[in-house]
Amino acid sequence: MSASRSENPFIVQSDHTVLVEVDSPRYVEGRDALARFAELVKSPEHVHTYRITPLSIWNARAAGVTVEWIREKMRGLSKYDVPRHVEIEIAEYAARYGKLKLTRDHRGLVLSLSAAVLAEELVRHQTVALLLGQRIGSQDFLVEPAERGRLKQSLIRVGYPVEDLAGYREGEQLEIILRSETRGGLSFHLRDYQREAAETFYAAGTARGGSGVIVLPCGAGKTIVGLACMARLQTSTLVLTTSVTATRQWSAELLDKTTLPGEAIGEYSGHTKDIRPVTIATYNILTWRRDRTDRFAHLELFDQRDWGLIIYDEVHLLPAPVFQVTAGLQARRRLGLTATLVREDGREDDVFALIGPKKVDMPWKELERQGWIASARCHEVRVAMPEPLRMDYAVAFARDRFRIAAENPRKKDIVREILAYHPDAQTLIIGMYVEQLRELADELEVPLLTGATRQSRRDELFTQFKAGSIRLLAVSKVANFAVDLPDASVAIQVSGTFGSRQEEAQRLGRILRPKPGENQAHFYTLVSQDTVEQDFALKRQLFLCEQGYQYEIHDIEQMRQKKLAEQSCPKLPFPTNNGVNQ
Amino acid sequence: MTVNSKMPNSKSTVTLPGSIRGFVERQATRPLEILFESPDPLFYPYCEYWRRAVAAMLLSGRIAAKDDGFPNMTDVNRICQEANFDQYLFEATGKFLVMAKIIRRSGRTSRYEPAKFGDAFWNRQLQPLQETARQAFLELVQHFTPSRVWRPTLAVSSRLDVLVALFATAFADLAIPWDQAGNVFLEFSQLPAPDLIDLGKQLGFKKRRSDRAGWGRWLDEPGQKALLSALSVSSWAYSTEHKKQTWIYLSDTARIILGLATPPELPVPVVDFKVLPNLCVLAGADLPPEKLVPLFRHCKIKRIDRVFELQLDKRQLTETTPQEPSVWNLREVLEESGPLPATADSLLRHRPLGGGEIRIRGCSAIVQPESAEVLDAIRQHSRLKGYLEVGAPKGYLLIKQQSNPSNFIQRCQELGFKATILQS
């Protein structure tokens, strides 16, 4: 291998994955090339993994990338020869793009195929044939507007992407302008990556844009990207969020950073049903029904105004009924926002088919390097269980073991010690079990916020926390998402939802908002040693590890023994805001 | 007709004698260029990443060797499921590795160990590989020949490899129908001896008039099947579908091993080696077995490709380490990739509980007194303490194996202790 080739960053595997060495001098060139035709699967330190899929190739073709360009880049940047079958298969995938086009003319929606043979193949396909309308030529079919989403979904499943050039409804006109100075008197302008994300979504107003998902880390300003898209489109907008708190935050951001008057913004939740040109609703209210046999009465909200844009905040949590409605909303522009496009139910494909393809995916560490989000140190603190509890754990049924481990009473002492190491930091104590949190909150005299806390009380606590009048706040999983607590710099996770990767990432996200000064956050996760909780913790950490975060592991017993042996200060060597305290 | 034994890497040009040329022309052949739009480039024989993976998996100890030396298929199925690898390919490759003396069953145990040609395989040395692969091919013919079928000689003396070489030269770049292949081989072997000898001479084989008769005896119906199976298992022939018919053709591997084609340059070795914080281990397929085997033993196999992807897994470590303390060997191997990430370091530092000591002692009953005071009173009581076994778990009492629990209960009641049997 020539010296120059050995420094190339790609290793192309025969299963279409591409390993990319981050330390290669040509890494940046390689990353930029791959971003156009492959999907980032994971990005731990040293080696990132991308995958070339039919979808990623079709996305590339849609953006004007040619097969020759892909081949040239892969050969030029690979350390070893590119497997021949990979090149052949990429060419085959690419050839499929553009064979099916969906357009609109005086006859309505028309699906045009590139060859009569293909038409014959599709009419014989059970699920596709049901969704095709009248055949109006050897290669053309009419399509019912209501079936537009489902047809695209079915065709993608049989391996034929549709180039949807039928356009969107413009929706009600609405003047939205981003302010250069916020109502609070601060200077405001879009960051480069926010502007690029909005422009990528907008695609100069053509039918090639207008639907898709933007993936940005927590704290990177997804809401701002949403506002920028609204300002580009100048149309009435329905925003769907995960909680009333998030609804209020969207409302506050709209008022603060756009010229929209207060009366143009409505909230549609369990508390208020106010439909305005910009309406912010919760997923909960949309999927509410009296009983399992009843219909979802609030889904009518989608038809109650001529929305020109629908924004799905935290799109990875989109509930199934909203997916179904979205299949019928393909004529409206759709924007999905998330930090973690990881669905624990594995429905990422439905997000792709019904909301749209991933338009932007910004690695967390990249934004950290640029200083747009706080740098974070993650710590896993392993706490031994007291001996009697250890026996209870050993004889417990498998289903009870996780809870026994998660509620390990020794965690309380560690929480105290961590708090002592960060005496001035705004700190969140996050847990899954309310009883455990209540005990902690009582002992530490910390306010507690759970699902049972009234909305007015939640707003009050969040306001006090933001204002700094309270420094510590214990929160259950209600604060996992879309809660903006800009000054929190320490999070202590005392328990979590089993192996949920997105919950771990979202919880870290609570402390990633950029901070004045050293812009440093600390995330502690407390796990009981040698228990299933430790195994689940490993799985929880995968997403963040893949984003380049490293967990420092602290074994409390080992540290204590070492410290006692050295007869030094028995305090634990956790890092402080000023560095590592040894 | 003049043919190159394999374009463009042919050693020499040979002229087919008339009878052989006529025979080839009479067969229903298909040129390979029709079957494959763009034929694969010449491969270096027996150095594919999947073959090295199979060898590493066999040596890892996760697959037992059967009495006949071949891999236990229950183990093979389990590991193939984990690694998403074709178990039929594994089985065939495993058989070849055993026959080629690259690995062997270790004494009378069920473990595998490197055999005579192990180094040649791992270090990609062509000459010893040619020697052992030809021998393995003949052994495979013997293996696939039913034992009830009588043969005048053993397959190793049959010189069927020479027949394959002549055949490969005559049918260069041509495929023949799979269902006729056995018969075509038989008829080919019975062509006029002088012509076969002439072709053999051109290819550098020693002249032996007796070959023709011997081949005829080996190529009856069971022999034809055995020959085709051996060709397939040793990767000397491949088959492909074309227009609803299966075609068979001799591979570049066969040509190179039989000396009919010059091998291509050795491919650049893939020796990348990294341990990532998400506990993923990336290991190039051309790393030496000292590194690969411990990885395949102790890690979960996620992907078999030119760079193997393995996953450090606590459960897997717990299951594999009690049998040997080689987790430390694994640690040494991993440390050669550079400083270990904290997650991997912590996992390897953790002493697997599976390796702990287990002490088993019989008892006739376990007793749970209602309080620590009652427990203490029973333990101290002169008429009860004789029933008790030492070393009970905290909060419990154990009744000695030879004592009758009913007597203990009766005596407790007589002495005023309230006792209840919870479960018999």
Side-chain angles (χ1 to χ4, degrees):
Chain A
M1 183 162 41
S2 66
S4 62
R5 202 165 182 202
S6 70
E7 291 187 339
N8 283 349
F10 291 0
I11 299 173
V12 184
Q13 303 265 63
S14 55
D15 66 350
H16 299 188
T17 54
V18 183
L19 304 175
V20 184
E21 289 191 41
V22 179
D23 303 327
S24 158
R26 297 184 72 191
Y27 163 69
V28 174
E29 186 191 346
R31 182 198 63 194
D32 291 349
L34 270 181
R36 303 191 68 185
F37 64 89
E39 290 169 8
L40 177 64
V41 181
K42 44 193 174 183
S43 53
E45 230 184 354
H46 307 308
V47 180
H48 293 182
T49 303
Y50 286 76
R51 186 167 44 216
I52 300 169
T53 64
L55 284 178
S56 70
I57 294 294
W58 296 332
N59 276 327
R61 292 284 297 111
V65 177
T66 63
V67 179
E68 291 71 32
W69 186 88
I70 296 174
R71 191 182 299 134
E72 190 188 312
K73 288 290 172 194
M74 282 176 50
R75 287 183 182 174
L77 289 159
S78 284
K79 209 167 171 180
Y80 310 107
D81 291 339
V82 179
R84 277 173 55 78
H85 73 273
V86 172
E87 286 188 351
I88 291 168
E89 278 154 15
I90 288 174
E92 280 173 6
Y93 295 154
R96 289 196 168 198
Y97 182 80
K99 284 189 171 171
L100 282 72
K101 285 192 170 73
L102 193 63
T103 52
R104 187 187 295 278
D105 63 19
H106 64 280
R107 296 169 294 183
L109 278 181
V110 179
L111 179 72
S112 307
L113 315 179
S114 64
V117 177
L118 186 56
E120 295 305 322
E121 184 189 332
L122 292 181
V123 293
R124 281 166 181 74
H125 202 285
Q126 256 184 343
T127 51
V128 175
L130 284 174
L131 300 167
L132 289 171
Q134 190 195 340
R135 193 166 181 171
I136 52 173
S138 64
Q139 294 160 230
D140 298 318
F141 295 86
L142 287 178
V143 175
E144 280 297 315
E147 303 294 2
R148 184 170 162 185
R150 272 183 284 273
L151 178 64
K152 286 196 291 183
Q153 211 176 352
S154 298
L155 284 168
I156 271 223
R157 283 183 188 152
V158 297
Y160 288 99
V162 178
E163 199 175 354
D164 189 344
L165 302 172
Y168 304 95
R169 290 169 66 156
E170 290 307 317
E172 280 173 41
Q173 183 91 20
L174 178 68
E175 188 180 270
I176 310 174
I177 298 168
L178 293 179
R179 293 168 173 276
S180 55
E181 188 179 295
T182 64
R183 276 187 213 260
L186 300 170
S187 160
F188 171 69
H189 57 86
L190 292 177
R191 297 170 189 162
D192 288 347
Y193 68 86
Q194 290 169 334
R195 185 178 299 105
E196 277 170 31
E199 291 302 330
T200 307
F201 175 77
Y202 181 60
T206 63
R208 295 192 186 278
S211 59
V213 176
I214 290 172
V215 185
L216 287 176
C218 303
K222 288 187 289 297
T223 310
I224 305 295
V225 174
L227 302 190
C229 292
M230 289 166 72
R232 278 322 247 123
L233 290 165
Q234 300 283 311
T235 186
S236 60
T237 303
L238 174 62
V239 182
L240 304 178
T241 67
T242 52
S243 66
V244 174
T245 305
T247 304
R248 308 247 160 105
Q249 281 172 191
W250 266 89
S251 180
E253 289 289 77
L254 279 163
L255 284 173
D256 190 45
K257 296 186 174 68
T258 71
T259 54
L260 273 181
E263 56 272 21
I265 303 168
E267 178 184 315
Y268 195 96
S269 64
H271 303 87
T272 329
K273 312 277 181 301
D274 194 9
I275 303 172
R276 302 283 175 87
V278 174
T279 300
I280 310 162
T282 59
Y283 292 128
N284 268 352
I285 191 69
L286 290 178
T287 52
W288 179 86
R289 54 181 170 174
R290 253 177 254 284
D291 59 57
R292 289 171 67 90
T293 56
D294 202 9
R295 67 193 183 89
F296 298 104
H298 295 287
L299 287 180
E300 285 167 7
L301 175 64
F302 285 100
D303 298 320
Q304 283 180 353
R305 262 197 119 101
D306 187 11
W307 308 114
L309 172 66
I310 300 172
I311 297 179
Y312 301 83
D313 194 15
E314 309 292 1
V315 70
H316 60 282
L317 295 175
L318 202 67
V322 180
F323 267 129
Q324 283 164 21
V325 178
T326 303
L329 293 172
Q330 298 299 301
R332 301 182 198 277
R333 288 186 166 86
R334 305 169 304 281
L335 169 63
L337 297 172
T338 182
T340 50
L341 195 49
V342 175
R343 286 189 68 103
E344 304 297 344
D345 63 2
R347 292 187 69 172
E348 289 92 344
D349 288 354
D350 280 343
V351 174
F352 177 91
L354 298 175
I355 310 294
K358 190 161 52 174
K359 295 280 183 184
V360 175
D361 189 352
M362 196 74 170
W364 293 41
K365 282 283 170 183
E366 187 60 39
L367 285 189
E368 185 186 300
R369 262 192 291 275
Q370 293 174 19
W372 294 120
I373 58 174
S375 66
R377 290 182 66 176
C378 302
H379 311 267
E380 179 186 310
V381 185
R382 293 184 182 166
V383 190
M385 290 219 286
E387 202 52 42
L389 200 61
R390 184 84 224 175
M391 183 52 80
D392 288 350
Y393 173 84
V395 298
F397 287 112
R399 64 173 179 272
D400 300 327
R401 288 178 148 211
F402 180 77
R403 184 160 191 166
I404 293 173
E407 293 186 323
N408 179 357
R410 284 198 182 155
K411 287 183 179 179
K412 286 183 210 159
D413 303 332
I414 307 301
V415 171
R416 272 204 200 86
E417 290 190 40
I418 294 170
L419 291 176
Y421 273 96
H422 301 281
D424 305 319
Q426 292 279 99
T427 303
L428 291 171
I429 300 166
I430 314 176
M432 175 184 173
Y433 297 109
V434 175
E435 275 309 306
Q436 180 190 27
L437 284 170
R438 188 164 288 133
E439 276 181 33
L440 259 169
D442 288 347
E443 282 190 25
L444 299 167
E445 296 178 1
V446 169
L448 171 66
L449 195 153
T450 68
T453 312
R454 279 180 297 110
Q455 188 60 42
S456 56
R457 174 67 178 152
R458 289 188 200 189
D459 292 343
E460 186 188 329
L461 286 173
F462 284 138
T463 309
Q464 287 176 358
F465 189 81
K466 281 182 196 175
S469 53
I470 52 175
R471 187 177 75 81
L472 305 177
L473 190 57
V475 287
S476 70
K477 59 196 287 181
V478 292
N480 277 0
F481 308 104
V483 176
D484 184 17
L485 300 168
D487 294 325
S489 60
V490 176
I492 306 170
Q493 176 175 248
V494 290
S495 53
T497 312
F498 304 98
S500 171
R501 292 162 294 168
Q502 52 100 342
E503 184 182 78
E504 186 92 349
Q506 293 287 350
R507 285 179 170 177
L508 172 68
R510 297 311 101 214
I511 55 171
L512 284 187
R513 300 289 192 278
K515 296 156 208 348
E518 63 173 353
N519 203 18
Q520 177 74 56
H522 294 278
F523 182 71
Y524 295 91
T525 179
L526 274 46
V527 299
S528 292
Q529 195 158 25
D530 296 332
T531 66
V532 286
E533 197 186 20
Q534 198 177 316
D535 301 339
F536 279 119
L538 203 61
K539 189 178 176 222
R540 290 174 67 84
Q541 293 162 10
L542 275 184
F543 178 82
L544 289 176
C545 281
E546 286 163 7
Q547 288 294 337
Y549 288 91
Q550 279 221 48
Y551 278 77
E552 291 169 35
I553 293 168
H554 307 276
D555 183 329
I556 291 299
E557 283 311 307
Q558 261 184 17
M559 286 179 182
R560 280 186 208 282
Q561 283 164 15
K562 192 176 161 197
K563 286 284 166 191
L564 285 173
E566 289 169 0
Q567 291 187 324
S568 61
C569 165
K571 279 188 179 176
L572 302 173
F574 289 129
T576 68
N577 281 337
N578 303 317
V580 179
N581 179 349
Q582 294 287 0
Chain B
M1 184 158 81
T2 303
V3 293
N4 283 334
S5 54
K6 171 73 189 177
M7 292 291 287
N9 294 290
S10 59
K11 263 184 173 174
S12 59
T13 304
V14 295
T15 307
L16 292 183
S19 65
I20 296 179
R21 191 170 63 236
F23 178 78
V24 173
E25 283 167 1
R26 284 198 301 280
Q27 304 308 312
T29 55
R30 280 280 183 287
L32 293 185
E33 62 194 19
I34 290 180
L35 300 183
F36 304 104
E37 281 175 14
S38 48
D40 284 330
L42 210 58
F43 283 114
Y44 202 86
Y46 301 127
C47 71
E48 303 94 333
Y49 63 81
W50 48 267
R51 209 180 289 274
R52 295 172 77 89
V54 171
M57 284 188 261
L58 289 170
L59 290 171
S60 75
R62 290 175 66 185
I63 295 166
K66 294 188 296 182
D67 288 347
D68 60 7
F70 294 134
N72 176 314
M73 284 308 290
T74 307
D75 293 342
V76 169
N77 289 340
R78 192 182 299 121
I79 208 164
C80 284
Q81 197 172 9
E82 176 186 315
N84 192 21
F85 192 82
D86 183 337
Q87 63 265 49
Y88 299 107
L89 179 60
F90 192 111
E91 184 185 13
T93 310
K95 275 187 176 170
F96 175 78
L97 293 172
V98 172
M99 286 298 195
K101 298 182 182 62
I102 290 165
I103 57 164
R104 68 172 179 208
R105 188 175 161 211
S106 174
R108 297 181 70 83
T109 70
S110 61
R111 297 286 299 262
Y112 282 107
E113 65 181 11
K116 185 180 169 190
F117 291 95
D119 285 347
F121 171 77
W122 290 107
N123 299 326
R124 307 187 294 181
Q125 295 163 351
L126 185 63
Q127 211 176 344
L129 277 179
Q130 280 176 317
E131 180 193 331
T132 191
R134 288 175 76 151
Q135 193 74 7
F137 166 73
L138 296 171
E139 299 267 16
L140 283 165
V141 173
Q142 185 77 55
H143 169 73
F144 289 117
T145 303
S147 53
R148 62 189 155 75
V149 178
W150 180 83
R151 295 278 184 263
T153 62
L154 288 173
V156 285
S157 318
S158 67
R159 303 228 316 158
L160 281 168
D161 53 335
V162 175
L163 174 68
V164 174
L166 302 183
F167 193 91
T169 309
F171 286 86
D173 298 327
L174 294 173
I176 53 175
W178 173 267
D179 50 2
Q180 298 166 23
N183 217 29
V184 175
F185 264 103
L186 172 64
E187 289 176 13
F188 181 82
S189 73
Q190 299 309 302
L191 289 174
D195 287 353
L196 291 174
I197 290 169
D198 176 31
L199 181 58
K201 238 164 77 181
Q202 290 187 60
L203 296 173
F205 294 113
K206 279 182 194 159
K207 173 184 159 184
R208 261 177 55 173
R209 195 165 282 274
S210 61
D211 283 343
R212 186 170 171 273
W215 291 336
R217 281 195 289 271
W218 271 97
L219 290 174
D220 56 2
E221 204 184 326
Q224 290 171 17
K225 284 184 185 164
L227 178 81
L228 293 179
S229 299
L231 286 173
S232 169
V233 167
S234 52
S235 304
W236 284 16
Y238 295 128
S239 61
T240 185
E241 292 280 325
H242 181 69
K243 294 197 173 165
K244 296 182 181 169
Q245 190 163 17
T246 308
W247 297 83
I248 179 173
Y249 60 96
L250 291 167
S251 69
D252 293 331
T253 299
R255 292 173 201 285
I256 294 169
I257 293 297
L258 293 166
L260 306 176
T262 40
E265 260 184 58
L266 259 176
V268 176
V270 183
V271 289
D272 303 74
F273 191 26
K274 285 259 159 44
V275 184
L276 305 182
N278 59 355
L279 300 179
C280 174
V281 181
L282 299 173
D286 296 314
L287 286 168
E290 299 76 36
K291 282 186 185 161
L292 289 180
V293 172
L295 296 179
F296 276 91
R297 170 149 188 78
H298 296 293
C299 301
K300 269 196 169 171
I301 307 161
K302 305 291 275 189
R303 179 178 291 138
I304 304 287
D305 216 308
R306 57 171 56 173
V307 175
F308 302 135
E309 191 176 323
L310 303 116
Q311 185 81 30
L312 286 166
D313 178 75
K314 187 177 161 191
R315 189 169 297 173
Q316 180 90 5
L317 284 172
T318 307
E319 283 176 13
T320 55
T321 47
Q323 297 156 39
E324 66 208 80
S326 54
V327 69
W328 299 109
N329 180 16
L330 175 68
R331 190 188 178 89
E332 281 166 22
V333 167
L334 293 176
E335 277 173 344
E336 286 178 37
S337 70
L340 291 181
T343 41
D345 179 59
S346 154
L347 189 71
L348 293 168
R349 233 187 307 126
H350 180 80
R351 185 174 160 269
L353 294 171
E357 188 185 359
I358 301 168
R359 285 177 292 170
I360 299 176
R361 192 173 47 196
C363 73
S364 62
I366 182 161
V367 178
Q368 186 182 15
E370 71 174 17
S371 66
E373 289 75 24
V374 175
L375 183 145
D376 194 44
I378 293 173
R379 286 187 63 188
Q380 304 302 323
H381 202 289
S382 59
R383 293 183 62 193
L384 293 175
K385 66 181 181 187
Y387 285 96
L388 302 178
E389 184 67 273
V390 291
K394 210 169 176 183
Y396 294 87
L397 297 169
L398 295 181
I399 307 298
K400 282 179 181 165
Q401 193 174 14
Q402 66 272 28
S403 300
N404 185 339
S406 303
N407 289 347
F408 175 74
I409 294 289
Q410 195 183 347
R411 188 152 289 185
C412 281
Q413 285 167 345
E414 286 167 10
L415 295 168
F417 293 105
K418 197 174 162 188
T420 317
I421 297 175
L422 297 173
Q423 198 178 2
S424 61

